[in-house]
Amino acid sequence: MSNGARRIAASGDPVALPSPGAFFGLTRIWRSIGGRLAAIILIMAVVVAALAWQGWSGMRASNAALNSVYRHRAAPTGQLGDVIDRMRDNLQQMTQLVIDLRDGSDDQTIQGRIRRVEDNVAAIDAAWADIVATDMTAELRAAADAFAAARGDFTQRGLLPALQMVRDSNPLMLEIHYRDVLAPAFEAAHAANRKLLALQMAEARHMFEAAEADLSRRMIEGAAVLAVSAAAAGGLS
């Protein structure tokens, strides 16, 4: 090894250093057309990999956002609509039962209406269990609790006593109970349901806007990567 390629360390032992020829060789490669072309190809490969990762992660984020909107907002909104429709149907069935009892309708008709009301109650309970199992903000949870209380009042204080009056064949008491308890309880539950639905829609819009903002950010990042890579490639040409 030449004296220029050898230095003495602090310990006194010789330390080998790269020869100047090696640096000149790298410089020649870098300045050659082939070297620059290889560098450009390397840069483009990195850019493609970065954009591919960004696209994959963006699709994952978009799918997660859509899935969250559907499971936690769209599906519960549909179920809330079904809940209030069944409650309204129960109210209508009680109206018909007042008429049936007054007109002396046959027992099969009356029992059929009672079963329909009971089936509605069971379906409402099942749907509500699904709704409260979803993720909710504090505001949504408070509105859901308010509707649950109003729905419980409609069922416990209004509907179940009304069914007992039907079984007792007491149309006069049923009519009074309908006017003073059942109908007002339904109106209170309906108002609470409307508030909960409005909050569900507002939260769904917020989640959608957040997903849009995330998509815009990723598009800007992708454009920035392309611009930087183009500038780098241009500097090598």
Side-chain angles (χ1 to χ4, degrees), residues 30-48:
W30 177 255
R31 290 179 178 178
S32 68
I33 295 177
R36 293 182 181 183
L37 182 60
I40 291 174
I41 292 174
L42 178 62
I43 290 173
M44 295 309 298
V46 171
V47 169
V48 169

mmCIF file of all heavy atoms in Angstrom, residues 30-48:
data_model
loop_
_atom_site.group_PDB
_atom_site.id
_atom_site.type_symbol
_atom_site.label_atom_id
_atom_site.label_comp_id
_atom_site.label_asym_id
_atom_site.label_seq_id
_atom_site.Cartn_x
_atom_site.Cartn_y
_atom_site.Cartn_z
ATOM 1 N N TRP A 30 -20.688 8.970 -11.735
ATOM 2 C CA TRP A 30 -21.792 9.903 -11.480
ATOM 3 C C TRP A 30 -21.983 10.869 -12.655
ATOM 4 O O TRP A 30 -23.113 11.213 -13.010
ATOM 5 C CB TRP A 30 -21.495 10.678 -10.199
ATOM 6 C CG TRP A 30 -22.534 11.720 -9.885
ATOM 7 C CD1 TRP A 30 -22.443 13.062 -10.024
ATOM 8 C CD2 TRP A 30 -23.850 11.484 -9.390
ATOM 9 N NE1 TRP A 30 -23.591 13.681 -9.645
ATOM 10 C CE2 TRP A 30 -24.486 12.730 -9.246
ATOM 11 C CE3 TRP A 30 -24.548 10.317 -9.043
ATOM 12 C CZ2 TRP A 30 -25.780 12.862 -8.774
ATOM 13 C CZ3 TRP A 30 -25.844 10.452 -8.567
ATOM 14 C CH2 TRP A 30 -26.440 11.704 -8.437
ATOM 15 N N ARG A 31 -20.882 11.288 -13.238
ATOM 16 C CA ARG A 31 -20.977 12.244 -14.337
ATOM 17 C C ARG A 31 -21.308 11.589 -15.670
ATOM 18 O O ARG A 31 -21.661 12.283 -16.628
ATOM 19 C CB ARG A 31 -19.645 13.000 -14.469
ATOM 20 C CG ARG A 31 -19.403 13.971 -13.311
ATOM 21 C CD ARG A 31 -18.081 14.667 -13.469
ATOM 22 N NE ARG A 31 -17.848 15.635 -12.398
ATOM 23 C CZ ARG A 31 -16.748 16.363 -12.263
ATOM 24 N NH1 ARG A 31 -15.757 16.224 -13.157
ATOM 25 N NH2 ARG A 31 -16.625 17.212 -11.268
ATOM 26 N N SER A 32 -21.246 10.292 -15.732
ATOM 27 C CA SER A 32 -21.537 9.609 -16.991
ATOM 28 C C SER A 32 -23.041 9.545 -17.241
ATOM 29 O O SER A 32 -23.855 9.684 -16.324
ATOM 30 C CB SER A 32 -20.962 8.190 -16.960
ATOM 31 O OG SER A 32 -21.671 7.399 -16.019
ATOM 32 N N ILE A 33 -23.416 9.347 -18.485
ATOM 33 C CA ILE A 33 -24.831 9.251 -18.843
ATOM 34 C C ILE A 33 -25.474 8.045 -18.162
ATOM 35 O O ILE A 33 -26.587 8.112 -17.644
ATOM 36 C CB ILE A 33 -24.988 9.151 -20.376
ATOM 37 C CG1 ILE A 33 -24.501 10.446 -21.035
ATOM 38 C CG2 ILE A 33 -26.436 8.853 -20.749
ATOM 39 C CD1 ILE A 33 -24.537 10.418 -22.537
ATOM 40 N N GLY A 34 -24.746 6.932 -18.142
ATOM 41 C CA GLY A 34 -25.282 5.732 -17.498
ATOM 42 C C GLY A 34 -25.524 5.934 -16.014
ATOM 43 O O GLY A 34 -26.528 5.469 -15.450
ATOM 44 N N GLY A 35 -24.593 6.644 -15.346
ATOM 45 C CA GLY A 35 -24.758 6.895 -13.915
ATOM 46 C C GLY A 35 -25.954 7.774 -13.632
ATOM 47 O O GLY A 35 -26.735 7.514 -12.701
ATOM 48 N N ARG A 36 -26.097 8.818 -14.437
ATOM 49 C CA ARG A 36 -27.261 9.692 -14.240
ATOM 50 C C ARG A 36 -28.572 8.967 -14.527
ATOM 51 O O ARG A 36 -29.575 9.148 -13.836
ATOM 52 C CB ARG A 36 -27.132 10.920 -15.138
ATOM 53 C CG ARG A 36 -25.987 11.836 -14.740
ATOM 54 C CD ARG A 36 -25.924 13.050 -15.624
ATOM 55 N NE ARG A 36 -24.819 13.914 -15.251
ATOM 56 C CZ ARG A 36 -24.571 15.094 -15.828
ATOM 57 N NH1 ARG A 36 -25.363 15.515 -16.823
ATOM 58 N NH2 ARG A 36 -23.554 15.821 -15.424
ATOM 59 N N LEU A 37 -28.547 8.136 -15.577
ATOM 60 C CA LEU A 37 -29.742 7.374 -15.903
ATOM 61 C C LEU A 37 -30.110 6.415 -14.768
ATOM 62 O O LEU A 37 -31.284 6.276 -14.404
ATOM 63 C CB LEU A 37 -29.518 6.597 -17.203
ATOM 64 C CG LEU A 37 -30.719 5.762 -17.706
ATOM 65 C CD1 LEU A 37 -31.910 6.683 -17.976
ATOM 66 C CD2 LEU A 37 -30.338 4.995 -18.967
ATOM 67 N N ALA A 38 -29.094 5.789 -14.173
ATOM 68 C CA ALA A 38 -29.349 4.887 -13.053
ATOM 69 C C ALA A 38 -29.927 5.654 -11.868
ATOM 70 O O ALA A 38 -30.836 5.173 -11.170
ATOM 71 C CB ALA A 38 -28.052 4.177 -12.652
ATOM 72 N N ALA A 39 -29.418 6.860 -11.620
ATOM 73 C CA ALA A 39 -29.934 7.669 -10.515
ATOM 74 C C ALA A 39 -31.394 8.066 -10.760
ATOM 75 O O ALA A 39 -32.233 8.040 -9.850
ATOM 76 C CB ALA A 39 -29.063 8.917 -10.335
ATOM 77 N N ILE A 40 -31.693 8.450 -11.999
ATOM 78 C CA ILE A 40 -33.078 8.818 -12.331
ATOM 79 C C ILE A 40 -34.006 7.622 -12.148
ATOM 80 O O ILE A 40 -35.112 7.740 -11.603
ATOM 81 C CB ILE A 40 -33.144 9.355 -13.777
ATOM 82 C CG1 ILE A 40 -32.422 10.718 -13.868
ATOM 83 C CG2 ILE A 40 -34.604 9.503 -14.217
ATOM 84 C CD1 ILE A 40 -32.309 11.244 -15.282
ATOM 85 N N ILE A 41 -33.547 6.452 -12.607
ATOM 86 C CA ILE A 41 -34.370 5.247 -12.453
ATOM 87 C C ILE A 41 -34.603 4.946 -10.977
ATOM 88 O O ILE A 41 -35.711 4.581 -10.557
ATOM 89 C CB ILE A 41 -33.697 4.051 -13.157
ATOM 90 C CG1 ILE A 41 -33.719 4.268 -14.672
ATOM 91 C CG2 ILE A 41 -34.400 2.740 -12.798
ATOM 92 C CD1 ILE A 41 -32.942 3.218 -15.446
ATOM 93 N N LEU A 42 -33.554 5.112 -10.172
ATOM 94 C CA LEU A 42 -33.691 4.868 -8.732
ATOM 95 C C LEU A 42 -34.693 5.837 -8.108
ATOM 96 O O LEU A 42 -35.560 5.435 -7.317
ATOM 97 C CB LEU A 42 -32.327 5.014 -8.055
ATOM 98 C CG LEU A 42 -32.317 4.843 -6.529
ATOM 99 C CD1 LEU A 42 -32.785 3.444 -6.145
ATOM 100 C CD2 LEU A 42 -30.925 5.114 -5.972
ATOM 101 N N ILE A 43 -34.589 7.103 -8.489
ATOM 102 C CA ILE A 43 -35.527 8.106 -7.955
ATOM 103 C C ILE A 43 -36.962 7.757 -8.356
ATOM 104 O O ILE A 43 -37.892 7.811 -7.533
ATOM 105 C CB ILE A 43 -35.151 9.515 -8.448
ATOM 106 C CG1 ILE A 43 -33.847 9.971 -7.789
ATOM 107 C CG2 ILE A 43 -36.268 10.510 -8.144
ATOM 108 C CD1 ILE A 43 -33.312 11.273 -8.341
ATOM 109 N N MET A 44 -37.175 7.393 -9.622
ATOM 110 C CA MET A 44 -38.521 7.067 -10.090
ATOM 111 C C MET A 44 -39.061 5.824 -9.385
ATOM 112 O O MET A 44 -40.256 5.738 -9.077
ATOM 113 C CB MET A 44 -38.524 6.871 -11.604
ATOM 114 C CG MET A 44 -38.178 8.134 -12.390
ATOM 115 S SD MET A 44 -39.175 9.567 -11.904
ATOM 116 C CE MET A 44 -40.822 8.992 -12.313
ATOM 117 N N ALA A 45 -38.161 4.863 -9.099
ATOM 118 C CA ALA A 45 -38.612 3.663 -8.384
ATOM 119 C C ALA A 45 -39.078 4.022 -6.976
ATOM 120 O O ALA A 45 -40.095 3.519 -6.492
ATOM 121 C CB ALA A 45 -37.478 2.637 -8.325
ATOM 122 N N VAL A 46 -38.325 4.908 -6.336
ATOM 123 C CA VAL A 46 -38.725 5.351 -4.989
ATOM 124 C C VAL A 46 -40.050 6.100 -5.051
ATOM 125 O O VAL A 46 -40.930 5.920 -4.202
ATOM 126 C CB VAL A 46 -37.621 6.233 -4.362
ATOM 127 C CG1 VAL A 46 -38.108 6.868 -3.067
ATOM 128 C CG2 VAL A 46 -36.364 5.406 -4.114
ATOM 129 N N VAL A 47 -40.217 6.948 -6.073
ATOM 130 C CA VAL A 47 -41.465 7.710 -6.215
ATOM 131 C C VAL A 47 -42.645 6.775 -6.444
ATOM 132 O O VAL A 47 -43.716 6.930 -5.829
ATOM 133 C CB VAL A 47 -41.346 8.717 -7.376
ATOM 134 C CG1 VAL A 47 -42.699 9.326 -7.704
ATOM 135 C CG2 VAL A 47 -40.359 9.813 -7.009
ATOM 136 N N VAL A 48 -42.463 5.795 -7.328
ATOM 137 C CA VAL A 48 -43.548 4.845 -7.602
ATOM 138 C C VAL A 48 -43.929 4.085 -6.336
ATOM 139 O O VAL A 48 -45.109 3.887 -6.027
ATOM 140 C CB VAL A 48 -43.137 3.869 -8.725
ATOM 141 C CG1 VAL A 48 -44.136 2.721 -8.828
ATOM 142 C CG2 VAL A 48 -43.054 4.611 -10.054
#
